[in-house]
Amino acid sequence: ADPQAVADARAHQDRLTKPRGALGVLEEVAVRLAGAAAASPPPIPAPAALAIFAADHGVHAQGVTPWPQEVTQQMVANFLAGGAVANAFAAQVGASVTVVDVGVAADLPPARGLVVDKVAYGTADLSRGPAMTGRQVVAALEAGIAVAGRLVGQGARCLVTGDMGIANTTASAALICAFTGHDAAEATGRGTGVDDETLARKVEIVRRALRVNGLADPAPGMTVAEALRRLAAVGGLEHAAIAGFILGAASLRVPVILDGVIAGSAALAAAALAPDAVDHCVAGHRSAEPGHALALAHLGLRPLVELELRLGEGTGGLLAHPLVCAAVRVMHEVATFDSAGVSEKEA
Amino acid sequence: ADPQAVADARAHQDRLTKPRGALGVLEEVAVRLAGAAAASPPPIPAPAALAIFAADHGVHAQGVTPWPQEVTQQMVANFLAGGAVANAFAAQVGASVTVVDVGVAADLPPARGLVVDKVAYGTADLSRGPAMTGRQVVAALEAGIAVAGRLVGQGARCLVTGDMGIANTTASAALICAFTGHDAAEATGRGTGVDDETLARKVEIVRRALRVNGLADPAPGMTVAEALRRLAAVGGLEHAAIAGFILGAASLRVPVILDGVIAGSAALAAAALAPDAVDHCVAGHRSAEPGHALALAHLGLRPLVELELRLGEGTGGLLAHPLVCAAVRVMHEVATFDSAGVSEKEA
């Protein structure tokens, strides 16, 4: 983050016609984006573009979810037809929707709004060895970087992460453990609503994945090679692509709003690859998944929306977009005490 | 609330292409609005109209705030010139802004967007006797009802409460004590940022106001006459007008998004006058004022935005508007499992 822009943004906030600090967390968001953009005020982060990265997961075979794997491709069709919650929320906030097939376990018919950059027909089972090869993880990262570049090239000034992949909260939990050192039982949740028995199995699968892949020990001061190895070992293709999407946004100095636990776990990988990338991230919301709070704490991000959402798709990130815009808009449009002739409080 | 519409809305939510309950608090908002509108899905609550009720307070003389009383009228001018945070947030969410002078301690020049319905040049000092006469409190309520009717007549499908009045968090704290039975020390906060000494004085003033006005005892099963007496005793003219605004919205079956502690305390009065009015209220946010959480708990409302805002003006209510729209939009636009051909989870 640019220290001069941060200082300028803080000073500007204090001159506006409101008590100091009265906008709470939103003042910090605006200052953060100023630092990331190296400009105070930072550019208005609109229009927004949502990218939903879709992929399947070999670990689905372990019974970690009651949803059939086919739901991934069925929901992709639903996104492309405009019928999902993410579409409704995108319409509400004026965001475009792009679906990116980086690893769905089926060939999808071409459609408007669908980008096919398929790295594999789903990952291998992370509980039996690495989910991705080294070549696959790099290809998925590059797919995400490319989408960020394309959307910004088309005029987007804010990116929003989205995901679709039945079983992907299992991979997320494993990533959170692998990058933060938390135990599987702390990081693993009920996803889209699994019962007690399935949750216990899910925790055991995450624990096995960490053991099988040699990720039990936390790795402070992780090298880029080790970060890539961990992402490949227990991540999903959509996680890797979202990590690339974040890196792409950061390199273009465009803010990226993170959705839920999938994005949070992907951001851990992005941060391990390039720590400054986090400066460009805004945590859109905190999901009901316990691992998400752990990931956000590790990243030092405070979520804007806390409404017990547990849907993914980018829904929580989209809801945060008007809040982020409002935070920045204040710096462009609100009068100062001097300019408005408003008295300040007595010392 | 209409029980059939509530049941229909819940059943509809469960057929949509998302795991049950995956939209968390937003599902409850949509169901609540269906019940209030007696229709499932409920109408899209847009466009929104913000009404900022402005008034001054006799208790200002007791040194409860470091801000000069003149700031009330200076900020009204700032709203009318479009330079306040409320204006920026209203622009962000596409809401109109109307300023209503129900009790500013000065004659304001006519301006576009200003409604003058002045009941008095500020209230009397609530720590020395009733802040308003019985006639004044009714006139302020009627002013609020009239504004609600006018804005809905002009096409608003969602109302948002706003307020401006230096010293009005003192009156809010007293109202919260008078309607919930909480102690002054629990309900009184730092408002726009008072120091420890001023906070202690503020608590003492609230306590004295309750004693002087005979409001120390909670009054379960309060009559309408007693509710009016309590509102008149320690409320502000803007509190009474906002209570009327809520009653007006409810009678027109239009949802009203409550801003912060001023609106929360006014809603307690509205609920005491007409309990069903609360069905039409959505708590926009939870402010940093401790009394606000007490008021919301008493009303049974869960706030949508929790970002430590402490500005008033309607800012927290405006930020919630896209979230409320998104919640309702889901019920209009999202496909069902059947219509989208998406498999449901295995039992």
Side-chain angles (χ1 to χ4, degrees), chain A residues 16-26 44 65-68 70-71 74-75 77-78 82-89 91-93 192-194 302-311 313 315 319-323 325-327 329-330 333-337 340-347, chain B residues 16-26 44 65-68 70-71 74-75 77-78 82-89 91-93 192-194 302-311 313 315 319-323 325-327 329-330 333-337 340-347:
Chain A
L16 299 177
T17 46
K18 60 174 183 53
R20 286 190 182 197
L23 290 177
V25 176
L26 294 186
I44 297 279
T65 169
W67 295 86
E70 290 69 35
V71 171
Q74 291 166 349
M75 282 302 296
N78 199 16
V85 176
N87 301 100
F89 285 8
Q92 181 62 42
V93 306
T192 49
V194 307
R302 164 150 180 177
L304 296 182
V305 172
E306 302 193 43
L307 295 172
E308 295 168 27
L309 305 181
R310 49 183 180 78
L311 180 56
E313 306 180 356
T315 49
L319 289 181
H321 183 248
L323 304 178
C325 288
R329 192 183 267 261
V330 164
E333 297 182 7
V334 173
T336 61
F337 281 103
V342 174
S343 308
E344 294 206 54
K345 75 176 179 179
E346 288 150 22
Chain B
L16 300 178
T17 47
K18 60 175 182 53
R20 286 191 182 194
L23 290 177
V25 176
L26 293 186
I44 297 279
T65 169
W67 296 85
E70 289 71 34
V71 170
Q74 291 166 349
M75 283 302 297
N78 198 16
V85 176
N87 301 100
F89 285 9
Q92 181 62 43
V93 307
T192 49
V194 307
R302 165 150 180 176
L304 297 182
V305 172
E306 302 192 43
L307 294 172
E308 296 167 27
L309 305 182
R310 48 185 179 80
L311 180 55
E313 306 179 357
T315 50
L319 289 181
H321 183 249
L323 304 177
C325 287
R329 194 184 265 261
V330 164
E333 297 182 6
V334 173
T336 61
F337 281 104
V342 174
S343 308
E344 295 205 54
K345 75 176 182 179
E346 289 149 21

Side-chain angles (χ1 to χ4, degrees), chain A residues 13 101 204 277:
Chain A
Q13 288 278 0
D101 172 10
E204 192 38 54

Side-chain angles (χ1 to χ4, degrees), chain B residues 117-135:
Chain B
D117 200 349
K118 196 192 292 283
V119 175
Y121 289 86
T123 51
D125 180 351
L126 54 82
S127 72
R128 308 178 73 162
M132 290 176 264
T133 65
R135 188 178 294 201

